[in-house]
Amino acid sequence: MENVNINDILRKFPKMQVILEDKAVAKLVKEFSYDLVKEKLNELLISEKEKVKGMILSGAMPEGDIFEAGHFLKLLEGFFAGGLTYSLKRVINGTGVVVHTNLGRSILPKSAIKNVEKISSSYSNLEFNLEAGKRGKRHSHVEYLLKKILFCESAVVVNNNAAAVFIALNSFASGEKKEVIVSRGELIEIGGSFRIPDIMKASGVKLIEVGTTNKTKPADYEVNINGNTALLLKVHRSNFRMTGFVQEVNPLEIVEIGKKYGIPVMEDLGSGSFVNLEKFGLPFEPTAQEVVASGVDIVTFSGDKLLGGPQAGIIAGKNEYIEPVSKNPLGRAFRIDKMTLSALEAVLFEYLDLNKALKTIPTLFLLSQDLSEIKKKGSRLLNKIKKLDEMLKYMYNFKIIQDHSIVGGGAMPDYELDTFCLSIKHSNFNAHKLSELFRIQKIPLIGRIKNEEFLIDLRTVLDDDINDIIYNIISVSKMS
Ligand SMILES: *Cc1c(COP(=O)(O)O)cnc(C)c1O
């Protein structure tokens, strides 16, 4: 490979001008303008050159028609075929993962969508106290609901839970010599490089690790408490489970230790559900209300995990600890925006009636769905498939199978929920190819593969998705 000169190879690419002069391009220019087509072509040339550079550096030689003008015409036409579309788009979640971080976590209830529209299409009292006629606090619009639901003294909201943990630690546990005690078994990493030790370091607190990976006892906290101890921190393990020879200190014991030594206790709940999901067959997790009631001084959790709201971080607890958080200048950097706030207020409002919330908040609804409801979605889909063209049905093989979905969002990691899936087989495409083809449709469908079968998990399929799945089945059949 040492004789390969990258520049010599890159020179093999067609010149931009040559491609632009092609008849096929003229058609696109007429429809989408010269500037737009040229700009896209430039982007394509750059990205294909990068691809080739990468290949050469890894010792491979590019092959196929990548150096032909025709290759770029095909890419251009492909891009413009669907007209101009947004990059961020709706997808059909056929993965069965209800709180899927890569697919946007929670879907908002209708009331939240309506409120976002209303508040963001006009001026609002975002930071204006209507009674006093002067500047107000943006937190106030959700704090009154959080107090009602959680029975906490105060609450503030920030951009997400990572920011909530960060600003809470920074507000009352950072600075010269101050120490925060955490169990070694809770020094976790949550997807996307959120690592508790790193967050702690960045927020300016000194981490004191206690116990061992698998076992931490009350005495481990106690022997490490000294005059510098500012906080006892408990972190929900979220995305993994330890089994075997394991011991952890339960929050009540930590609260007792905190009281004994006059040190505050904070718990990062991660998901923080307001509803006990046990009656839907899910494993026991203390609700955020229960954690507050247990005497933990500060709790933090996400707005878009089991709560089923927009991306947000909620910090709730005792006045004396929430106050420094609300005064922290970092609050400005982490502040929640009005669209999020209007969605969050509407979602919290739903929780004033828990039975209603189970139906109106999609995340709760998708988790608490009856197996028979999921099966019905499958039957509706199969009925529509039956009406499709004979040729098409000949290419495919459809069947409904029973399988398992997961909660997602780091909640209840090893727990499987019963579900039904539509299994799709195709005479020309294997499961991986099918998965790819469904993913590149106008309304992409993301499924999963199990035992070389392409599955659409019906738990996370919404009623409005059914017709689009049929559309995708037809569209994929035309690609063979
Ligand atoms: C998910 C999670 C976070 C991060 O929350 P985001 O809202 O994604 O920022 C922090 N701590 C725990 C325990 C979590 O599960």
Side-chain angles (χ1 to χ4, degrees):
M1 285 316 290
E2 56 277 7
N3 294 329
V4 172
N5 182 327
I6 290 188
N7 286 328
D8 283 346
I9 294 181
L10 291 183
R11 264 194 285 279
K12 288 201 212 164
F13 275 102
K15 291 264 171 305
M16 172 115 112
Q17 209 48 44
V18 173
I19 305 174
L20 283 174
E21 277 159 17
D22 195 282
K23 274 202 305 289
V25 171
K27 248 175 73 188
L28 292 177
V29 165
K30 211 167 146 203
E31 207 177 338
F32 296 97
S33 87
Y34 182 77
D35 280 355
L36 212 55
V37 174
K38 188 174 160 192
E39 204 174 290
K40 188 67 207 173
L41 177 58
N42 190 35
E43 259 174 45
L44 289 170
L45 275 163
I46 292 172
S47 68
E48 295 296 278
K49 281 179 184 169
E50 283 305 314
K51 201 155 93 186
V52 165
K53 267 194 224 165
M55 287 170 81
I56 296 169
L57 291 175
S58 65
M61 278 307 278
E63 43 186 277
D65 61 355
I66 195 157
F67 299 117
E68 312 279 332
H71 171 68
F72 286 91
L73 291 173
K74 246 195 286 174
L75 291 178
L76 268 183
E77 281 169 342
F79 176 78
F80 285 107
L84 275 189
T85 53
Y86 289 130
S87 163
L88 183 58
K89 52 187 133 195
R90 172 190 156 210
V91 306
I92 300 166
N93 179 1
T95 64
V97 182
V98 177
V99 183
H100 197 306
T101 297
N102 300 151
L103 302 185
R105 287 202 182 151
S106 285
I107 307 171
L108 293 177
K110 294 274 185 307
S111 59
I113 307 289
K114 278 195 195 140
N115 205 32
V116 171
E117 191 184 343
K118 194 160 95 192
I119 297 304
S120 49
S121 57
S122 68
Y123 291 104
S124 64
N125 62 339
L126 180 65
E127 283 187 358
F128 188 73
N129 182 325
L130 294 170
E131 282 94 57
K134 56 183 189 203
R135 192 191 166 121
K137 287 200 187 115
R138 65 175 67 207
H139 295 298
S140 65
H141 305 296
V142 287
E143 189 182 23
Y144 81 102
L145 286 167
L146 288 165
K147 282 183 183 174
K148 249 193 175 104
I149 298 165
L150 296 173
F151 295 102
C152 58
E153 290 177 9
S154 310
V156 290
V157 282
V158 289
N159 202 19
N160 57 14
N161 189 35
V165 174
F166 187 100
I167 195 171
L169 292 172
N170 181 270
S171 302
F172 51 80
S174 70
E176 212 48 54
K177 293 209 194 115
K178 283 195 183 172
E179 297 177 352
V180 175
I181 299 184
V182 192
S183 158
R184 283 210 167 80
E186 295 169 10
L187 293 174
I188 54 161
E189 172 180 308
I190 299 159
S193 76
F194 176 90
R195 287 183 164 181
I196 288 291
D198 296 343
I199 286 276
M200 294 181 70
K201 199 167 164 201
S203 67
V205 311
K206 185 169 171 206
L207 162 67
I208 304 294
E209 304 173 27
V210 303
T212 59
T213 303
N214 59 330
K215 279 200 168 204
T216 302
K217 301 168 188 171
D220 294 323
Y221 286 86
E222 292 200 61
V223 298
N224 283 287
I225 288 175
N226 60 43
N228 295 327
T229 308
L231 183 74
L232 307 180
L233 174 65
K234 179 142 184 80
V235 183
H236 193 280
R237 285 211 191 99
S238 288
N239 53 5
F240 76 106
R241 195 64 84 222
M242 286 208 281
T243 53
F245 200 54
V246 173
Q247 181 179 353
E248 64 176 323
V249 184
N250 82 47
L252 282 176
E253 288 174 291
I254 301 183
V255 166
E256 279 312 307
I257 299 169
K259 277 202 191 122
K260 185 168 159 193
Y261 295 90
I263 296 165
V265 176
M266 167 165 144
E267 184 163 356
D268 172 21
L269 282 175
S271 261
S273 177
F274 286 175
V275 183
N276 183 339
L277 292 163
E278 270 180 308
K279 56 175 173 285
F280 306 108
L282 286 124
F284 173 76
E285 282 280 349
T287 61
Q289 295 91 314
E290 285 164 346
V291 175
V292 170
S294 73
V296 170
D297 300 285
I298 312 106
V299 294
T300 60
F301 51 93
S302 285
D304 54 356
K305 290 186 180 168
L306 286 180
L307 195 67
Q311 179 191 303
I314 293 160
I315 310 166
K318 307 221 167 104
N319 284 336
E320 62 179 300
Y321 304 109
I322 300 299
E323 177 147 323
V325 177
S326 64
K327 293 213 169 107
N328 191 326
L330 278 172
R332 177 63 187 242
F334 294 161
R335 80 176 177 187
I336 193 163
D337 130 89
K338 68 180 175 198
M339 290 202 269
T340 311
L341 197 59
S342 50
L344 185 60
E345 185 180 8
V347 171
L348 294 174
F349 219 90
E350 300 285 341
Y351 276 103
L352 297 181
D353 181 347
L354 278 187
N355 287 324
K356 204 176 120 221
L358 285 171
K359 297 198 180 66
T360 54
I361 297 177
T363 297
L364 294 183
F365 169 76
L366 295 174
L367 285 171
S368 62
Q369 260 169 126
D370 234 36
L371 199 53
S372 66
E373 289 298 319
I374 301 177
K375 194 165 189 182
K376 261 189 228 156
K377 279 191 258 184
S379 310
R380 278 178 51 210
L381 205 45
L382 273 188
N383 278 336
K384 289 191 185 247
I385 288 169
K386 276 201 197 102
K387 295 187 190 126
L388 294 176
D389 187 79
E390 279 308 317
M391 264 310 283
L392 186 148
K393 279 188 281 181
Y394 189 71
M395 273 182 231
Y396 282 111
N397 189 346
F398 301 98
K399 65 178 194 283
I400 299 288
I401 63 156
Q402 195 156 1
D403 201 43
H404 303 285
S405 345
I406 58 173
V407 178
M412 307 167 178
D414 55 1
Y415 187 74
E416 297 184 322
L417 288 149
D418 286 331
T419 192
F420 284 99
C421 298
L422 176 69
S423 143
I424 306 184
K425 282 194 184 143
H426 191 279
S427 46
N428 295 343
F429 305 131
N430 65 19
H432 293 269
K433 188 70 193 171
L434 269 182
S435 152
E436 179 195 325
L437 292 175
F438 275 94
R439 219 169 48 226
I440 57 169
Q441 297 303 310
K442 220 180 196 161
I443 299 171
L445 188 160
I446 325 293
R448 62 182 144 90
I449 294 171
K450 187 177 176 184
N451 304 331
E452 292 301 309
E453 257 180 89
F454 178 62
L455 301 181
I456 302 174
D457 190 321
L458 296 158
R459 173 178 292 276
T460 44
V461 165
L462 311 175
D463 286 341
D464 288 350
D465 292 336
I466 304 264
N467 282 332
D468 296 314
I469 295 176
I470 299 291
Y471 174 88
N472 281 349
I473 288 171
I474 298 169
S475 167
V476 167
S477 76
K478 293 191 176 139
M479 299 174 103
S480 62

